[in-house]
Amino acid sequence: PHTAQLEPGNGSVFRTTSPEWPGYGARVTRDYIFQDGELVITHRISKVEASSTLIAAWTITQTTPEATVYVPLAAKSPYRDGVFWWDYSTAPEKLGATFLSPKLLRIQPVTGAGFKLGTHPAKPALAAVRKGLVFLQRADRQEGEYPEGGEGAGFTVEVYHHSQPPPNQYTELELLSPLRRLDQGAELVTRWSIHPVPEGQEQATVEKLLEIDKK
């Protein structure tokens, strides 16, 4: 369980704080504030002196299975089509994946077909569309090596689809920070927002929100 409070002197910041992790000594704090139409969440793992353990902040948001997920892709990547799939035994199209362009992947999850993917766009973000609304998540880009993926091409975003049948089916949108030593602490800033989709303009709306460069 976490404690929760409004920060003194700034009632618009809501902070949650975890208990100390047994065996690590660190705490997780999250600050929530609305800024310019976004819910900005700052995730921090506090420092533990003289600890060289590697850590990363790694956020997960679950969406309902009927949501269509859009994943921005890196312009240059060591991975085939810019995406690493944990299991290559099933063709991406059988998982509901469609490459709309070299820089944008759309996934309409297929019931019973589980998968996990990672990629490394220049601007970390993910979008989920449902009932005429886009749920957009963005993260501030940070330099460094990431928990998963190749050197220099670590995954800043990942998507996981749970293969269990309804009502236990869901899709995870994941944003990551680079690896840091625990005596340095780790931080990840994520930004949530919701946007309407004009009729017939879903792809164009998502491309604009994800800042897809068509050049």
Side-chain angles (χ1 to χ4, degrees):
H2 288 46
T3 61
Q5 66 182 35
L6 294 175
E7 282 300 283
N10 190 348
S12 62
V13 176
F14 182 73
R15 173 172 292 177
T16 60
T17 304
S18 77
E20 186 175 288
W21 286 355
Y24 286 91
R27 298 179 187 275
V28 177
T29 61
R30 294 182 178 89
D31 287 351
Y32 304 79
I33 187 171
F34 283 100
Q35 291 180 340
D36 302 323
E38 295 181 311
L39 173 61
V40 181
I41 309 171
T42 302
H43 314 260
R44 296 186 184 92
I45 302 175
S46 58
K47 301 177 183 180
V48 175
E49 296 302 323
S51 174
S52 60
T53 298
L54 291 176
I55 58 168
W58 190 329
T59 69
I60 294 175
T61 306
Q62 294 183 352
T63 70
T64 54
E66 61 269 25
T68 300
V69 177
Y70 289 85
V71 185
L73 306 176
K76 296 181 180 180
S77 175
Y79 312 112
R80 188 174 67 197
D81 298 321
V83 180
F84 179 84
W85 301 86
W86 260 250
D87 182 0
Y88 280 89
S89 64
T90 303
E93 57 268 22
K94 292 186 177 181
L95 302 173
T98 303
F99 289 91
L100 300 176
S101 74
K103 297 181 180 179
L104 184 62
L105 174 66
R106 181 183 68 201
I107 305 173
Q108 296 172 305
V110 176
T111 298
F115 65 83
K116 182 179 178 181
L117 66 86
T119 187
H120 56 116
K123 297 179 180 180
L126 290 165
V129 178
R130 178 173 179 264
K131 294 185 177 180
L133 294 173
V134 180
F135 170 41
L136 176 68
Q137 290 192 61
R138 303 187 297 121
D140 290 356
R141 175 79 186 194
Q142 300 181 63
E143 296 302 320
E145 295 302 321
Y146 282 75
E148 298 182 319
E151 184 176 353
F155 306 137
T156 56
V157 302
E158 297 184 6
V159 178
Y160 167 74
H161 182 66
H162 193 56
S163 61
Q164 294 297 315
N168 299 316
Q169 186 179 205
Y170 58 86
T171 305
E172 290 183 353
L173 310 181
E174 307 178 10
L175 299 170
L176 296 82
S177 83
L179 290 164
R180 303 292 189 221
R181 286 172 49 123
L182 191 48
D183 56 8
Q184 299 171 342
E187 180 174 301
L188 177 65
V189 178
T190 58
R191 304 172 188 277
W192 293 11
S193 56
I194 296 176
H195 309 265
V197 179
E199 187 174 354
Q201 296 295 312
E202 181 170 308
Q203 182 176 337
T205 300
V206 170
E207 287 177 337
K208 182 177 180 180
L209 292 171
L210 292 176
E211 299 182 49
I212 302 296
D213 182 2
K214 295 184 179 182
K215 295 181 181 179

